[in-house]
Amino acid sequence: MTRFIFIVGGVMSGIGKGVTAASLARILYNRGYAVSAVKIDPYVNVDAGTMNPVEHGEVFVTSDGMECDQDIGTYERFLGVDLPGINSITTGQIFQEVIRKERGLEYNGRCVEVVPDIPNEVIRRLKLAARQARADILLVEIGGTAGEYQNILYLEAARFMRHESPQDVAVVLVSYLPIPHALREMKTKPTQQAVHALQAAGLQPDFIVGRAAQPIDVPRKRKLAIFCNVAEENVISAPNLSSVYEVPLQFEREEFAKRLCKKMRIPIRKPKAVYEKPWMQFIHRSQKSTKTVSIGILGKYFASGAFVLEDVYISVIEAIKHAAWERGLTPKIQWLDSEAYEQFPQKIKELKQFDGIIVPGGFGARGTEGKIGAIHYLRTKYIPFLGLCFGMQLAVVEFARNVANMRQAHTTEINPQTKFPVIDIMPEQVTKIHEKILGGSMRLGNYTCKVIPHTLAQHAYSRKKRTNIAVIANERHRHRYEFNNEFKSKLERLGLICSGINPDKQLVEIIELKNHPFFIGTQFHPELRSRPLNPHPLFLAFIEAAHKKPSV
Ligand code: GLN
């Protein structure tokens, strides 16, 4: 029998529901339970792939090619597993499936209704995810905040499930407790109202996770317990911590796993050292790191009005942290705006103050020339560079323009008429675009990459052990354009090394340069596979090279 733990948000979004779900998953996993996690996104999009990054944040890609919310990435990092795409649910998918069944007369002629047919389809999906994962416990994070119209049908699904078997379902409300500057007191009223909103949907929370700048003190725990109808020991304090990876430790201090097991009437096991110890060691490494390594991320999806959105590159940031901590370094990450480099090319010189620069994935023309200018600077000034997907493609463009003298070289994504289409659309993509099949149709998910012996990439993947054996890597993809093999031999003659190749289609997966401390571009997204306990080899190698760079 699978137990289901629903994680619901209160007061506002962005307070760490995903990290709460992932941390809960981790502490239950540490106890030897088979755990999996599902994210429900209440938007109508079928997946996250068609949304603008500024609107949505990072699009995480699973190994089986689902474009989903960044929370799936958080779960993967905390659990150290690859999750399947079915663990990402959207309203688009639920309605699509209900309508498909209706058209196929699968409802046997009866009237198909929003309630109960939509919640029932949600429940079918949750049970399917639980079955496929053989989960003892399935964490289900419902996106949005209690009281929103959008997620009401998911709360209804949770209510149905709890009605059917109350002891198998727990509800955790993750809420925010503000400490207004002028009052200097932690206020519980917004959380009380969030509980009322949840109760109006027929759900009483069993636990309240109180997110706040500070720990919740006893008087306020008591107040929340009384006014929210929750046992006092089930009010869990979740103050700000220096890293999200410390949240499982905080939950242990609050005896959260014990209380959850008690609520769900499953054995209260002790954490197993084999699972818990590596995590603790990782936390110690992160806290003990003294020397810094400064990394710039050159992108364009940061600005939203007066604010900077870091979520867009969350997996890149986490991958940098994992690798840096593994080497005992504290990463200092700075945002660099490629559009500013386009307007003020002399600003590019500021790159020399960094130990290494990452040019991450991207789409479209805006800021592209700024990135190409920056890559030129990094190549010629021997500054460690890691290009991810679009970053790799633009490194090829820069090399073609400035080393191979093909001045108009470009990717056909930006200039379809270019004389030198060194990056070009994949043939199977052309028909998809013509037929307007644009959602979920990129080259997505895992593809193999044969890493060529005696290259920097091979050196990184084999962790320096044996440089004469080809490594086979499995890496995640999300792109429509590709290195154009027509230009391969010409660029190779001039010094570009194609150090990773997809053996089935001969597609170039990794490029690098000789006579440079570290210059690597990958067509795939290594950041999506980096884990705290298992940093990605390319990020490790990049951080090592960055650490070696003499400071200016
Ligand atoms: N825009 C490029 C492509 O579609 C790169 C995509 C990316 O960086 N994820 O191929």
Side-chain angles (χ1 to χ4, degrees), residues 361-363 388-390 393 413 478-481 525:
F363 294 82
L388 309 172
C389 205
F390 201 42
Q393 297 176 351
E413 177 180 357
R478 181 172 186 252
H479 58 111
R480 275 186 217 285
Y481 295 80
H525 289 273

Side-chain angles (χ1 to χ4, degrees), residues 475-491:
E475 297 284 358
R476 299 191 195 173
H477 292 71
R478 181 172 186 252
H479 58 111
R480 275 186 217 285
Y481 295 80
E482 195 74 54
F483 186 106
N484 185 346
N485 278 336
E486 271 177 42
F487 295 89
K488 188 163 173 259
S489 52
K490 175 155 190 194
L491 297 179

Side-chain angles (χ1 to χ4, degrees), residues 273-333:
V274 273
Y275 301 134
E276 198 179 45
K277 213 166 149 207
W279 195 268
M280 301 297 274
Q281 286 165 340
F282 156 72
I283 299 288
H284 286 147
R285 268 200 305 281
S286 75
Q287 290 169 340
K288 271 205 331 247
S289 304
T290 42
K291 286 196 190 123
T292 61
V293 60
S294 66
I295 305 296
I297 301 180
L298 178 58
K300 66 169 175 181
Y301 300 118
F302 300 125
S304 165
F307 300 94
V308 171
L309 307 173
E310 302 184 1
D311 273 11
V312 180
Y313 301 112
I314 177 114
S315 292
V316 178
I317 299 164
E318 297 308 308
I320 295 170
K321 289 184 194 165
H322 304 158
W325 287 334
E326 182 80 17
R327 292 288 173 260
L329 300 166
T330 298
K332 286 242 165 332
I333 299 170

